[in-house]
Amino acid sequence: MNALDVARGAYARLPLDTRLQLGRVLRHVPSGLKYGGTYRVWRERIRRAAADPAYAAAEQDAALVALLTRARAASPAYRARLAPILGHGPLEADAVRAAWHRIPILTGAETVSLGRALCTVEPERLDECVTGGSSGRPVRFYLDRGRSPVEYAFVHEAWARAGFTPGETRAVFRGVDIAGPSHMHEEPALGELRCSVFHLSDPVMAGYLAAIRRRGIAFLHGYPSALSIFAAYVLRAHGPLAQIRGVLPASERIPAPFRSTIERAFPEATLAPFYGLSEKVAFATEVPGSPDIYAFSPLYGLAELVDAEGIPVTEPGRRGRLVATGLLFPGMPLIRYETGDEAELVEAATRANGRQLRIRHILPRHGQDYLVGRSGILVPLSGMLQVDEEILGIGEFQFVQMEPGRVILRIVPRGGSVPDFTGYLLRANRKAAGELEVTLEIVDHIPTTVRGKRKFIDQRLTLARDAERLTEEAWDREPA
């Protein structure tokens, strides 16, 4: 584990007042010292891959061969999956590519059932992680320690197109726990002014806007659903805000109405979204000048689109399932991992284009869902997603809303036992204090739709359903 990871973990555990005092000192540490040599090397590699397709293709080939060699040799589960297809001898890139689509796709359920057998090192040397649970069935997996400098390199390079540098301050609209009447607090060490997405009423957003203007903050970061609500407020209360130079969306897609509202509110800003996954198997950035078209980094992972039978999608305009293989963190390889997302092919990955898959219209694991707060405001469901140890001890779960301000978390116990959810509910209710109250309901099963799908949120309120419907319709009308 490197110093950056240790420092981040220790800093996050400090009391808020202590973090603020220490953060004001750390804020002035040069970025080169803060992120280290690994960060600088990776930023250089990312830039070179973007400019040199031959380099990018060669680097992906080498990383893929190294990953498969290690997985076959050190992981019992992968030895059984790979050896019948790739044999036991030395691997070469061309042979791997030829046999690639015979390697079975790894589902989330298989990742859970195989678990530690997928690891190439002792799991105790890795970090135990969990997906956000947007499918209603979280996936537990393991990631290499010391990954922060590499992750920061990819994210900062994506944001650089908006003029962002590591020393800039961002106003962050994500689902963080923020106490106090202003519903915001500062994290100077991270360069963040954190704004609650659970309290997007006009009086609270007036405070956000005043703080952003007073501090001269030029970058906004967070859920597009929350950013668009804030942007609409800015237009109503202030008019276009030229101070903002960059909008850095995360964790959700950006439908056309959201993009339009954000662009009108912040006319001088460049939008710099990226696509990533908790499992760290793929990373893509939006192509400049081509809204909603994403290009995957060949250094980060191998991304592919396949149809329902697992056959590669090769015709532009056809949709498929997104499958990805992470190349950066081999402690628990996820090889041909079923992400749960879907997309439309724009350009297949080839050696000529540097193994860079391009897609559009990504449909993520859950839709643009909303909850309705007690005061009638819309609250992005993304902010409520938290997967703690309690959730891992159940079969499946679902959010249900039948009246403003009240949310029911339905859970199906696994094996008849129910974990203690007291702490989970306290944390959830603290995040959305005054707007949402979450209660628990034990059920035998989660009802399915006529197509057999389990809805992640059962929303009964017209206001939220209309917002979601308008978003979906506008998304579907976007030009191909």
Side-chain angles (χ1 to χ4, degrees):
M1 183 181 295
N2 64 43
L4 179 58
D5 283 297
V6 173
R8 285 179 66 196
Y11 177 82
R13 290 189 293 271
L14 293 174
L16 177 59
D17 289 345
T18 306
R19 291 207 312 268
L20 291 177
Q21 294 175 20
L22 179 59
R24 293 187 181 100
V25 176
L26 296 176
R27 188 82 179 97
H28 300 289
V29 175
S31 60
L33 179 61
K34 186 184 300 184
Y35 297 106
T38 299
Y39 170 85
R40 293 192 299 272
V41 168
W42 271 100
R43 290 205 67 172
E44 291 170 3
R45 294 187 67 195
I46 295 165
R47 292 180 192 135
R48 182 177 174 186
D52 186 347
Y55 169 81
E59 287 293 295
Q60 188 184 77
D61 282 350
L64 189 62
V65 168
L67 180 76
L68 294 177
T69 300
R70 174 171 172 165
R72 188 185 57 182
S75 160
Y78 277 119
R79 188 176 305 117
R81 293 171 78 90
L82 298 176
I85 297 166
L86 300 175
H88 298 275
L91 299 178
E92 296 183 356
D94 289 343
V96 167
R97 297 281 181 182
W100 185 250
H101 294 104
R102 293 166 49 208
I103 296 174
I105 291 174
L106 179 69
T107 66
E110 288 175 315
T111 302
V112 172
S113 64
L114 292 171
R116 299 162 68 98
L118 292 170
C119 295
T120 62
V121 299
E122 296 84 355
E124 291 72 23
R125 294 169 53 190
L126 306 171
D127 287 334
E128 188 174 347
C129 305
V130 187
T131 61
S134 56
S135 64
R137 292 178 175 174
V139 175
R140 188 198 299 260
F141 59 99
Y142 295 89
L143 279 174
D144 297 55
R145 295 171 181 168
R147 61 189 178 276
S148 289
V150 181
E151 291 180 305
Y152 275 122
F154 279 90
V155 171
H156 287 176
E157 194 62 32
W159 288 348
R161 59 172 285 208
F164 177 85
T165 62
E168 301 281 359
T169 298
R170 294 164 288 131
V172 179
F173 291 74
R174 302 196 71 170
V176 293
D177 185 3
I178 301 174
S182 71
H183 299 295
M184 62 180 162
H185 75 241
E186 189 177 5
E187 289 284 358
L190 304 176
E192 296 179 353
L193 175 67
R194 295 184 172 180
C195 304
S196 170
V197 300
F198 302 107
H199 302 87
L200 296 176
S201 63
D202 281 11
V204 172
M205 288 191 289
Y208 297 167
L209 177 57
I212 289 168
R213 295 182 64 195
R214 183 171 62 252
R215 288 169 167 79
I217 293 173
F219 295 90
L220 305 180
H221 171 211
Y223 306 141
S225 52
L227 291 173
S228 67
I229 293 172
F230 179 64
Y233 168 77
V234 170
L235 289 172
R236 290 196 310 272
H238 178 275
L241 185 62
Q243 171 182 321
I244 303 301
R245 293 188 286 115
V247 177
L248 316 172
S251 301
E252 297 174 349
R253 54 184 174 169
I254 315 175
F258 290 11
R259 186 184 294 269
S260 176
T261 301
I262 291 169
E263 289 176 342
R264 286 190 295 116
F266 314 115
E268 300 302 315
T270 297
L271 268 69
F274 66 82
Y275 169 89
L277 294 158
S278 303
E279 300 92 322
K280 312 299 181 189
V281 292
F283 187 91
T285 53
E286 189 177 68
V287 176
S290 300
D292 194 39
I293 294 180
Y294 286 80
F296 283 86
S297 168
L299 302 185
Y300 197 102
L302 190 161
E304 49 186 317
L305 281 186
V306 300
D307 65 16
E309 285 72 42
I311 299 172
V313 173
T314 58
E315 180 183 347
R318 286 189 57 205
R319 296 194 64 80
R321 300 179 292 151
L322 183 61
V323 172
T325 301
L327 298 176
L328 298 181
F329 310 119
M332 181 181 184
L334 295 179
I335 299 171
R336 303 205 74 208
Y337 177 74
E338 174 77 78
T339 68
D341 295 345
E342 299 178 357
E344 176 187 313
L345 180 65
V346 173
E347 182 181 0
T350 65
R351 186 181 297 274
N353 67 12
R355 304 291 187 194
Q356 190 178 82
L357 175 72
R358 293 194 175 200
I359 60 175
R360 74 163 84 227
H361 291 177
I362 301 172
L363 291 179
R365 288 176 269 199
H366 68 94
Q368 207 74 49
D369 298 315
Y370 298 92
L371 301 168
V372 179
R374 185 168 286 110
S375 66
I377 63 172
L378 291 174
V379 178
L381 179 62
S382 300
M384 290 300 295
L385 297 180
Q386 61 178 59
V387 176
D388 298 338
E389 191 63 31
E390 296 92 336
I391 286 291
L392 290 170
I394 65 174
E396 52 188 306
F397 65 96
Q398 179 187 61
F399 290 101
V400 182
Q401 185 168 39
M402 293 180 280
E403 60 180 286
R406 294 182 61 83
V407 179
I408 300 169
L409 173 59
R410 285 180 175 165
I411 69 166
V412 178
R414 178 184 290 130
S417 61
V418 181
D420 182 1
F421 271 81
T422 304
Y424 184 96
L425 294 175
L426 284 173
R427 289 187 293 274
N429 288 323
R430 185 177 59 206
K431 291 169 76 174
E435 284 294 345
L436 294 173
E437 178 186 358
V438 183
T439 58
L440 189 68
E441 182 177 304
I442 310 301
V443 297
D444 294 328
H445 70 283
I446 301 294
T448 64
T449 66
V450 294
R451 298 178 61 186
K453 294 184 177 181
R454 288 169 174 80
K455 297 174 65 176
F456 181 55
I457 176 172
D458 181 0
Q459 179 56 267
R460 312 286 180 86
L461 300 182
T462 302
L463 176 63
R465 290 204 311 266
D466 285 349
E468 182 181 359
R469 176 180 55 79
L470 290 172
T471 296
E472 295 295 335
E473 289 177 353
W475 186 266
D476 291 340
R477 288 197 301 269
E478 290 187 3

